[in-house]
């Protein structure tokens, strides 16, 4: 994407009522569209969605396919897509805005900051969709299913809440199973190294993301793990 297009998307994002952002480890807060500071931690349902519903996150959401499609299919939940890249979030946020979806928001930030924006037990479910695998061992702590990230998720999830990981990367798939086996209180509800060969299709599990479409076209197998971290 050209720089001009990116700049245009950033300008449009600033006008979208469903996008919030913060990158500041030292001052992790978000502003509303008028620039007013929001005390968001523990208050997403009250301040953003204005309705008390279970909150579902899509981490590394990119263009937010799971966030927008699941929100449309499940109006009984509130969905928040999280990614660092604004030009990608723009796509999902624009679609959600045009469709008039009131149960969708996007948060542009580092997932490392998740505990700054959600209080203990505020989140009911997490989708992690095709995260970067960070294949070098020296970067394994940046994988979104490494121990430091799973600790952060445990801190914001309700007890027994479900997490889903979809990835095309066999290394990340094996790494995640190993990391889980090293933890207490985890449960693997389903795991497969050939998702489309194994999992009975539902509209929820068989939703294709942008990257997934490319991986499938390249003949790659998709892997999937459904698990809990805390009971
Ligand atoms: C390979 S893309 C997948 C996007 C989308 N889920 C899909 O399947 O099309 C990985 C995404 O993770 C985001 N990402 C990676 N590390 C992140 C982090 N620590 N915090 C927030 N976003 C991150 C990147 O910006 C990128 O959009």
């Amino acid at each position: 994407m050209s720089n001009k297009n990116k700049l245009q998307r950033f300008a449009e994002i600033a006008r979208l009522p469903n996008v919030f952002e913060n990158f500041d480890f030292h001052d992790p807060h978000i502003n509303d569209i008028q620039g007013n500071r929001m005390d968001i931690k523990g208050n997403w349902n009250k301040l953003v969605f204005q309705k008390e519903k279970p909150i579902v996150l899509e981490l590394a959401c990119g263009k937010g396919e799971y966030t927008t499609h699941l929100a449309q299919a499940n109006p009984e939940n509130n969905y928040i897509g999280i990614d660092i890249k604004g030009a990608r979030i723009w796509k999902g946020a624009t679609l959600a805005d045009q469709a008039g979806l009131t149960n969708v928001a996007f948060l542009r930030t580092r997932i490392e900051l998740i505990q700054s924006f959600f209080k203990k037990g505020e989140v009911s479910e997490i989708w992690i969709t095709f995260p970067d695998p960070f294949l070098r061992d020296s970067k394994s702590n940046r994988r979104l299913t490494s121990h430091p990230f799973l600790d952060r998720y445990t801190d914001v999830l309700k007890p027994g809440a479900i997490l889903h990981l979809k990835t095309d990367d066999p290394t990340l798939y094996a790494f995640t199973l190993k990391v889980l086996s090293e933890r207490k209180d985890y449960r693997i509800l389903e795991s497969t190294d050939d998702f489309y060969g194994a999992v009975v299709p539902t509209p929820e599990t068989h939703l294709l993301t942008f990257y997934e479409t490319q991986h499938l076209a390249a003949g790659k197998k998709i892997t999937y793990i459904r698990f809990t971290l805390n009971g």
Side-chain angles (χ1 to χ4, degrees):
M1 185 188 310
S2 71
N3 273 346
K4 190 171 158 232
N5 275 352
K6 270 195 186 163
L7 289 176
Q8 199 174 339
R9 285 186 179 187
F10 288 146
E12 284 175 30
I13 269 192
R15 288 193 293 270
L16 284 169
N18 54 8
V19 182
F20 305 90
E21 61 181 19
N22 181 285
F23 315 100
D24 188 346
F25 272 97
H26 303 293
D27 184 15
H29 72 280
I30 60 174
N31 292 330
D32 67 14
I33 197 163
Q34 278 93 30
N36 302 312
R37 199 179 167 96
M38 296 171 92
D39 184 11
I40 198 65
K41 187 169 170 165
N43 290 317
W44 281 90
N45 278 333
K46 190 167 132 210
L47 298 180
V48 172
F49 298 113
Q50 276 118 38
K51 253 193 198 142
E52 202 54 47
K53 298 179 187 177
I55 291 178
V56 182
L57 305 184
E58 183 189 6
L59 304 182
C61 71
K63 299 180 181 187
E65 287 85 357
Y66 270 79
T67 303
T68 48
H69 286 87
L70 292 182
Q72 207 148 24
N74 305 304
E76 69 280 9
N77 294 331
N78 288 327
Y79 289 85
I80 304 169
I82 304 181
D83 201 289
I84 193 75
K85 293 205 174 139
R88 291 189 180 164
I89 276 182
W90 169 87
K91 173 91 182 180
T94 303
L95 273 176
D97 192 47
Q98 286 169 352
L101 294 176
T102 55
N103 61 335
V104 176
F106 287 89
L107 177 57
R108 187 177 170 217
T109 192
R110 293 182 201 291
I111 294 159
E112 286 82 342
L113 292 177
I114 193 169
Q115 292 143 294
S116 304
F117 301 110
F118 298 93
K119 78 166 192 193
K120 210 167 183 50
E122 190 173 7
V123 177
S124 293
E125 188 174 347
I126 290 182
W127 282 88
I128 310 171
T129 53
F130 300 89
D132 300 308
F134 294 109
L135 289 176
R136 271 199 239 148
D137 276 351
S138 60
K139 293 200 168 172
S140 64
N141 269 3
R142 293 178 66 183
R143 296 176 189 155
L144 293 187
T145 51
S146 62
H147 282 297
F149 278 95
L150 296 187
D151 290 344
R152 294 178 180 114
Y153 309 154
T154 305
D155 213 29
V156 301
L157 281 168
K158 287 189 193 315
I162 286 179
L163 299 93
H164 313 254
L165 169 72
K166 269 178 117 182
T167 174
D168 62 299
D169 192 278
T171 305
L172 182 64
Y173 173 70
F175 169 86
T176 305
L177 290 175
K178 179 170 176 295
V179 168
L180 286 174
S181 74
E182 293 162 359
R183 296 181 72 86
K184 281 195 235 148
D185 295 337
Y186 80 97
R187 276 188 304 142
I188 294 176
L189 305 174
E190 182 150 20
S191 74
T192 170
D193 60 4
D194 181 12
F195 181 70
Y196 289 98
V199 175
V200 179
T202 69
E204 185 167 90
T205 52
H206 282 54
L207 196 52
L208 296 187
T209 73
F210 177 75
Y211 273 85
E212 184 172 11
T213 306
Q214 295 187 342
H215 298 316
L216 287 171
K220 289 192 184 173
K221 288 225 160 76
I222 304 302
T223 73
Y224 172 72
I225 310 175
R226 189 166 72 246
F227 59 101
T228 65
L229 287 173
N230 51 3

